[in-house]
Amino acid sequence: MTALTAVRAARPAHRDPNVLRWLGAYSASTLGDSVYHLALSWSAVRGGTPAEAGLVMAVSAVPRALLMLGGGVIADRFGPRRVVVLSDTVRCLVVLGVAALVLLTSPALWALAAVALVFGAVDAVFLPAVGALPPRIAPREELARVQGMRGLAYRAGLVLGAPFGGLAVALGGPAAAFGAAGLLFAFSLPLLLRLRIAPLPGDEPVRDGTALRDLADGLRYIRRHRVLGPLMIVVALSDLGFVGPLNVGLALLADRRGWGAAGIGWVLAGFGAGAAAASLLLTVRGRIPRAGAVMAWTITLGAGSIGALAHVPQLPVAVAVSVSVGLLAGLSGALCGALTQTECDPAYLGRVTAVSSFFSLGVAPLSFPLTGAAIGLWGLAPVYTASAAVCALGGVYGLSVRALRRAELPRRDAARPSGG
């Protein structure tokens, strides 16, 4: 055990300056991303029709979905910190360039769409690398706590990004908002460069063969792994059943119930509060016993809460139900991330994270138009019930796989050597 590893093992993640530097960088990057999206949407709305603005906002999903698996290969080949630093550097330069462009002229929609495409491509390499970083800055027994801290930072970025970006637009227009986002990305860079990365067994980047061969090797590794293979199936099913009702379905639900835009905001706030509570729980406890079983049960119970949303007529009840959805989904999502990081061989972590992100951010959003069309044909209750059944299927499958059901996060005392 090296001196650095010994210090890390003796210090909880929330008191580790190295982890706090990573958390600061991640928070700045997440906040910058929220401000950027607000500035982009505002500029697109001002420069075109609502349909054209929606197209500009959606175009980044295309390269993100197409390139996500390749992004995992890049993270494993070149190291996650290098990829994260390069990603935030590109985002910083691009957004500051857009800020200057908006300040000097009114950019055409094609220019904004091009920026969105670049961001989607950067996300495709950034997200797998971010998922592969925590095991290199914190000991295995602290990874659940790190996931909780990451969840809190993500929620804070979502909550603070809109008002911060709106204030920047009000004071200096879209150029000020783009500039603020660029500065936030820039703020993350010195923190990332100061991170101390602890080498992990098998962590040497592999550059033999082609990228396609590396990708195929990673997919074979997932398929043969007794925990990660079933876990990816659980992630895919739970996300497919979750994202439609909580995105397109929620807007239609609020419209049918007469809750209006304010109602959507209250339900989303309830979900965010529940997810933040789950992240806080993991941050404080640091470990959840029987993590595999708890993850599967929270997915199953969360599915029931999703299905219940379509059957509550009163907004306060819907908000209460959304709190339970956020709490259960937040806990299961953090446990999925922690189990992925503790079970995976470091040499494959970027690719495994890419597969998980591909289902969450690439495949699952494709259900948006299907959800809307299905609600138009059959109504809210049947579609919400079907979506909840798909989500519950993921939880039940997780409970049925013995290796996943019995998967545990490492104990802090067990991970610490007895002497020397």
Side-chain angles (χ1 to χ4, degrees):
M1 173 180 278
T2 66
L4 174 58
T5 306
V7 170
R8 289 171 56 201
R11 181 181 289 162
H14 63 284
R15 297 178 182 174
D16 186 341
N18 199 45
V19 175
L20 294 178
R21 280 192 289 270
W22 165 81
L23 186 66
Y26 180 77
S27 300
S29 183
T30 301
L31 183 58
D33 203 45
S34 296
V35 174
Y36 152 77
H37 279 99
L38 185 141
L40 183 68
S41 63
W42 182 262
S43 299
V45 168
R46 295 288 297 273
T49 66
E52 290 171 337
L55 182 61
V56 169
M57 296 304 298
V59 74
S60 63
V62 176
R64 186 168 60 223
L66 293 177
L67 302 177
M68 182 75 73
L69 298 181
V73 173
I74 292 173
D76 285 336
R77 280 201 165 206
F78 300 103
R81 179 175 62 172
R82 185 178 301 174
V83 174
V84 170
V85 169
L86 181 60
S87 299
D88 270 356
T89 301
V90 171
R91 293 201 284 188
C92 173
L93 295 176
V94 169
V95 174
L96 290 178
V98 175
L101 180 64
V102 172
L103 188 63
L104 296 174
T105 184
S106 297
L109 285 177
W110 68 263
L112 297 177
V115 172
L117 282 172
V118 171
F119 257 70
V122 172
D123 279 347
V125 296
F126 175 80
L127 293 170
V130 165
L133 257 181
R136 294 164 171 85
I137 61 173
R140 293 177 72 248
E141 65 273 16
E142 287 293 312
L143 288 177
R145 177 172 279 127
V146 171
Q147 286 297 309
M149 296 164 67
R150 180 183 176 183
L152 286 174
Y154 177 74
R155 291 295 156 193
L158 292 181
V159 170
L160 298 177
F164 184 68
L167 178 62
V169 170
L171 294 177
F178 279 120
L183 292 177
L184 285 165
F185 291 131
F187 180 79
S188 72
L189 296 176
L191 295 174
L192 290 169
L193 292 171
R194 289 187 60 201
L195 281 182
R196 293 174 297 166
I197 303 297
L200 298 176
D203 202 18
E204 298 79 12
V206 178
R207 296 186 175 89
D208 295 334
T210 65
L212 285 177
R213 185 176 300 172
D214 286 351
L215 177 58
D217 185 38
L219 296 176
R220 281 194 298 269
Y221 172 77
I222 294 172
R223 180 172 56 84
R224 295 170 180 170
H225 199 285
R226 64 191 189 96
V227 172
L228 294 177
L231 182 59
M232 294 302 108
I233 296 175
V234 170
V235 169
L237 290 172
S238 60
D239 282 337
L240 283 173
F242 174 81
V243 297
L246 265 295
N247 288 275
V248 176
L250 181 57
L252 296 174
L253 178 64
D255 181 64
R256 301 282 177 87
R257 295 286 189 268
W259 298 338
I264 298 176
W266 278 109
V267 173
L268 289 177
F271 173 80
S279 297
L280 182 61
L281 173 66
L282 279 176
T283 301
V284 173
R285 286 187 58 88
R287 181 181 183 273
I288 300 294
R290 302 188 63 188
V294 171
M295 177 207 67
W297 274 114
T298 51
I299 290 174
T300 306
L301 296 174
S305 296
I306 291 172
L309 271 176
H311 300 278
V312 291
Q314 293 86 14
L315 178 58
V317 180
V319 173
V321 173
S322 71
V323 171
S324 70
V325 174
L327 179 63
L328 295 167
L331 186 56
S332 62
L335 289 175
C336 281
L339 286 171
T340 298
Q341 292 170 357
T342 54
E343 291 284 344
C344 186
D345 185 319
Y348 292 92
L349 190 50
R351 280 164 284 181
V352 174
T353 303
V355 170
S356 176
S357 300
F358 174 73
F359 286 126
S360 303
L361 300 173
V363 176
L366 297 178
S367 67
F368 290 175
L370 296 178
T371 300
I375 290 175
L377 288 173
W378 298 298
L380 286 164
V383 174
Y384 265 74
T385 300
S387 297
V390 172
C391 188
L393 182 61
V396 172
Y397 175 74
L399 290 171
S400 71
V401 178
R402 180 175 178 174
L404 180 56
R405 183 179 69 248
R406 295 193 171 186
E408 290 278 9
L409 297 174
R411 296 177 180 272
R412 184 171 181 81
D413 293 338
R416 194 179 301 169
S418 58

